[in-house]
């Protein structure tokens, strides 16, 4: 049995006392449950025997931090009943199956609400619960492609740039699910009635581009890549290569930040080019040439402590790591919840 110590946030945070049941899956569902656990909720992850495809070794899966877990075979005769027992004592349940799966298993919203009317039932889907694409398989890149957001990313002479699975799964999926379930939790505590929250990644991702659609309608955004203020088209909002083949990120949009940027770069004579689109080609070339004259670390030292909005582009290994998973195999401490053996950061075998 793989177990872990007491979660550092247990009993602390704004969600202290809130019980969450997570039906284990991939990507946005586990991340949403992690956010709730980080806020102090007591999260029990219901794992399937053998784990899930593409799953990370539990010892390294940071999204399992601050959680406990129990293995349940939902296809076994007693599987659904075990989940319903957990749901009866929970405030929130999160699942990420295809539409109709939990209903067929006997652990859908109606089944859970019959046992616990106050339960907030959170559903994470790609396309939503109904509609022509509801039953179609997909992943982050599939969802963001149909929202127009993938088409905004990258250089105009190259294929669109895939932003890992951050834009769809986590920004358009997990964060919207968490907002929804917390709003529903507030409602449930005020009225005694739970709700079903359906967070579709395609909806959340489209919603994230609200400002861009407004700019497009107003004529302030061109419907093509690298031609706008925030997509790399602006020469003082983008990335530049340095002498050692690394990169610096520039975000000097406002006038005072732009002036500081030019001063430290040694290009004060380009002050008037900021709002002159006809000079943006010249501005980009001069900025690029300047950055190529020194290494990334040298430029980092130049801009250190300034308001030029310039930062080094770090790799994953260079950047500060996320908080480590709480799993500690050297000092395992199993926990109990409602008489069910559970463990955190791993699975019970």
């Amino acid at each position: 049995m793989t177990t872990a110590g007491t979660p550092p946030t247990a009993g602390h945070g704004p969600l202290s006392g809130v019980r969450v049941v997570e039906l284990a899956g991939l990507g946005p569902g586990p991340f949403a449950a992690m956010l709730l656990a980080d806020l102090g909720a007591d999260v029990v992850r219901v794992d399937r025997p053998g784990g899930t495809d593409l799953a990370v070794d539990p010892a390294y899966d940071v999204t399992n931090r601050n959680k406990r877990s129990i293995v349940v075979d939902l296809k076994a005769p007693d599987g659904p009943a075990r989940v319903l027992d957990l749901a009866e004592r929970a405030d929130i349940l999160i699942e990420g199956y295809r539409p109709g799966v939990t209903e067929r298993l006997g652990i859908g919203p109606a089944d859970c609400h019959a046992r616990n009317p106050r339960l907030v039932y959170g559903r994470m889907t790609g396309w939503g619960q109904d509609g022509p694409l509801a039953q179609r398989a997909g992943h982050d890149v599939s969802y963001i492609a149909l929202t127009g957001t993938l088409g905004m990313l990258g250089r105009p002479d190259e294929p669109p740039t895939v932003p890992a699975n951050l834009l769809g799964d986590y920004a358009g999926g997990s964060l919207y699910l968490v907002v929804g379930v917390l709003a529903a939790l507030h409602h449930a505590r005020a009225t005694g009635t739970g709700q079903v929250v359906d967070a579709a990644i395609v909806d959340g991702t489209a919603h994230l581009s609200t400002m861009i659609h407004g700019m497009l309608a107003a004529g302030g955004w061109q419907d093509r890549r690298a031609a706008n203020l925030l997509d790399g088209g602006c020469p003082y909002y983008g990335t530049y290569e340095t002498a050692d083949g690394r990169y610096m990120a520039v975000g000097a949009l406002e006038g005072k930040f732009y002036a500081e940027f030019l001063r430290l770069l040694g290009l004060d004579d380009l002050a008037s080019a900021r709002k002159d689109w006809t000079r943006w080609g010249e501005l980009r070339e001069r900025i690029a040439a300047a950055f190529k004259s020194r290494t990334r670390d040298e430029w980092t030292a130049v801009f250190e402590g300034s308001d030029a909005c310039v930062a080094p582009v770090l790799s994953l290994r260079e950047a500060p790591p996320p908080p480590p998973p709480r799993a500690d195999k050297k000092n395992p401490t199993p926990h109990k919840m409602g008489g069910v053996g559970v463990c955190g950061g791993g699975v019970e075998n």
Side-chain angles (χ1 to χ4, degrees):
M1 178 174 68
T2 302
T3 62
T6 302
T9 56
H12 303 283
L15 295 185
S16 176
V18 173
R19 289 182 169 183
V20 179
V21 175
E22 173 200 347
L23 303 186
L26 294 174
F31 191 82
M34 181 201 77
L35 292 177
L36 297 174
D38 288 349
L39 291 171
D42 179 11
V43 178
V44 173
R45 191 181 71 251
V46 178
D47 285 302
R48 67 186 68 177
T52 57
D53 292 341
L54 305 180
V56 176
D57 182 336
Y60 299 97
D61 189 352
V62 181
T63 64
N64 286 336
R65 68 187 180 204
N66 301 327
K67 300 178 184 179
R68 303 180 291 161
S69 70
I70 179 172
V71 174
V72 175
D73 183 355
L74 294 176
K75 296 182 180 180
D78 66 336
R82 297 178 70 189
V83 171
L84 291 176
D85 286 343
L86 290 172
E88 184 173 3
R89 300 187 296 273
D91 300 287
I92 298 169
L93 182 146
I94 290 177
E95 63 96 357
Y97 293 104
R98 290 203 203 189
V101 171
T102 59
E103 284 86 350
R104 290 195 295 273
L105 290 171
I107 53 174
D111 304 294
C112 290
H113 282 148
R115 298 279 293 271
N116 181 0
R118 300 172 62 92
L119 181 71
V120 173
Y121 197 102
R123 320 194 80 168
M124 186 78 261
T125 63
W127 309 108
Q129 292 296 320
D130 48 42
L133 300 179
Q135 294 297 328
R136 183 178 297 181
H139 277 296
D140 180 289
V141 70
S142 317
Y143 311 134
I144 68 175
L146 290 187
T147 65
T149 50
L150 178 60
M152 293 192 299
L153 308 177
R155 295 174 56 84
D157 54 345
E158 297 176 359
T161 299
V162 178
N165 68 329
L166 305 178
L167 179 56
D169 278 357
Y170 297 140
S174 302
L175 298 185
Y176 278 80
L177 179 60
V178 169
V179 169
V181 298
L182 291 181
L185 179 64
H186 175 74
H187 176 269
R189 288 188 164 179
T191 67
T193 303
Q195 294 187 3
V196 178
V197 177
D198 177 27
I201 296 172
V202 68
D203 292 340
T205 306
H207 193 258
L208 287 169
S209 62
T210 297
M211 184 188 74
I212 304 300
H213 279 285
M215 295 173 68
L216 181 66
W221 188 277
Q222 299 182 62
D223 196 12
R224 55 193 181 92
R225 294 196 296 279
N228 302 284
L229 189 66
L230 302 174
D231 67 353
C234 174
Y236 44 90
Y237 195 87
T239 58
Y240 288 92
E241 187 176 4
T242 56
D244 54 348
R246 296 179 177 180
Y247 294 86
M248 297 293 290
V250 177
L253 289 177
E254 292 84 352
K256 60 181 180 180
F257 302 149
Y258 176 76
E260 178 76 348
F261 168 62
L262 291 185
R263 182 184 70 79
L264 293 173
L265 207 60
L267 298 176
D268 295 276
D269 60 305
L270 292 171
S272 61
R274 175 171 170 261
K275 292 187 176 181
D276 186 353
W277 288 18
T278 65
R279 298 186 61 191
W280 276 15
E282 172 198 0
L283 181 58
R284 186 184 303 279
E285 291 179 3
R286 294 278 301 279
I287 292 174
F291 273 118
K292 286 287 288 184
S293 68
R294 300 186 189 184
T295 66
R296 186 191 67 179
D297 290 346
E298 289 173 331
W299 281 120
T300 298
V302 168
F303 288 101
E304 180 71 28
S306 76
D307 277 346
C309 301
V310 176
V313 178
L314 304 180
S315 70
L316 285 175
R317 294 192 181 278
E318 292 176 313
R326 69 180 182 87
D328 181 1
K329 295 183 178 181
K330 295 181 180 179
N331 299 291
T333 304
H335 306 284
K336 297 285 184 178
M337 178 180 178
V340 180
V342 295
C343 55
V347 296
E348 196 172 8
N349 297 317

